[in-house]
């Protein structure tokens, strides 16, 4: 199978037919990674189930991935799955991080279209109908683009805007501004995405790299329904580093440019020192020497650090460890991941 193109142009652009007749492949799969979301889970389940039923007439599956939660998230998912044949619960063996948990959910999804949403309900699942209309108009991917970010701090809004614009400047891939993983994708796109095995994953950038026809749905992002953010500053910086190193080698080039720049400064300083010694009989100044040493040493350390970031990622990639490991699956369907990880002794 060719993972990087739809089976045919007609298949890519045809509307997705809605049916209530059970089929091997449901109309839509909703994928939501969950990490310590016991306070949000009942509302998430209720709103997603209601929206999916209204849009598909009941031909859907809801996939909730427990990413190593330490609260009651997994017992709640397990209990919900026992009473709902549409629900698939996936329990990872530990916390692998949002992007790999999302990859685990995508590997389980069987739908003709896959709807990705965060568990915190900042992205309204009720927008699925509008996304589906855009998908049926000929798009392969419909991604949510934020017009506003309700109840988020000024620093969070400023840093997010700065990050996306920096990434756009550094990257050769056109990654849309102000977007997250909230999107609806056709199955050929998801299969192409799962064929990309890299360990440090920035899914929204990987989807942009794939190409296909992608359209935005602009919306106002809501405040978190309950609980606390799972992306503190430390994780935001880690995601930013993964994004930049995955889609750009510009930092390596910048370190080279700095090397040439400060080599030029050093050459000019050499001329100055020689001129002072020959014509003014002046001894070299300790201050200027220390300043030059500090500047050049700092640039060297920055360059080494940038190369270390890329080298560390190469080291992790060549080990070829799975992106995730599934400990248990709770579903009435005999499901296994299609790619990207390993399945444990699932239920």
């Amino acid at each position: 199978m060719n993972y990087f193109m739809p089976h045919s142009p007609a298949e890519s652009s045809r509307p997705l037919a809605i049916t209530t007749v059970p089929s091997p492949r449901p109309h839509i799969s909703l994928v939501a990674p969950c990490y310590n979301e016991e306070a949000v889970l009942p509302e998430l389940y209720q709103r997603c189930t209601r929206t999916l039923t209204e849009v598909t007439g009941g031909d859907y599956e809801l996939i909730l991935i427990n990413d190593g939660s330490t609260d009651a998230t997994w017992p709640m998912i397990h209990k919900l799955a026992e009473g709902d044949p549409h629900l698939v619960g996936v329990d990872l063996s530990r916390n692998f991080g949002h992007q790999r948990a999302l990859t685990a959910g995508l590997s389980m999804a069987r739908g003709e279209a896959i709807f990705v949403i965060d568990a915190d309900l900042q992205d309204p699942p009720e927008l699925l109908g509008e996304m589906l209309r855009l998908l049926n108009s000929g798009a392969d991917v419909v991604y949510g683009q934020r017009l506003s970010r309700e109840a988020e701090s000024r620093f969070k809004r400023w840093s997010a805007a700065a990050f996306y614009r920096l990434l756009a400047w550094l990257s050769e891939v056109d990654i849309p501004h102000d977007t997250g993983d909230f999107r609806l994708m056709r199955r050929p796109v998801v299969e192409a995405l799962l064929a990309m095995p890299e360990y440090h994953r920035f899914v929204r950038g990987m989807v942009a790299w794939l190409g296909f026809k992608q359209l935005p749905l602009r919306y106002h992002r809501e405040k978190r329904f309950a609980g606390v953010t799972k992306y503190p500053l430390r994780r935001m910086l880690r995601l930013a580093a993964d994004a930049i190193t995955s889609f750009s080698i510009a930092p390596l080039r910048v370190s080279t440019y700095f090397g040439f720049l400060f080599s030029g400064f050093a050459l000019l300083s050499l001329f100055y020192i020689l001129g002072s010694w020959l014509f003014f009989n002046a001894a070299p100044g300790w201050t200027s020497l220390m300043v030059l040493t500090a500047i050049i040493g700092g640039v060297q350390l920055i360059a080494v650090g940038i190369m270390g970031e890329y080298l560390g990622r190469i080291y992790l990639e060549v080990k070829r460890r799975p992106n995730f490991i599934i400990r248990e699956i709770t579903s009435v369907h005999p499901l296994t991941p299609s790619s990207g990880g390993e399945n444990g002794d699932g239920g």
Side-chain angles (χ1 to χ4, degrees), residues 83-105:
D84 186 351
H86 295 283
L87 178 58
V88 179
V90 180
D91 186 29
L92 302 185
S93 63
R94 64 171 178 86
N95 177 250
F96 285 89
H98 179 271
Q99 299 293 284
R100 296 187 193 98
L102 174 55
T103 302

Side-chain angles (χ1 to χ4, degrees), residues 284-295:
W286 180 85
T287 302
S288 60
L289 180 62
M290 290 299 101
V291 169
L292 283 173
T293 301
I295 291 175

Side-chain angles (χ1 to χ4, degrees), residues 18 25 33 47 65 90 131-132 143 158 173 285 291 307 325:
I18 297 177
R25 201 178 285 287
R47 287 175 60 178
I65 305 98
V90 180
M131 286 186 164
L132 188 59
Y143 57 87
W158 175 85
V173 178
V291 169
M307 289 187 287
I325 298 174

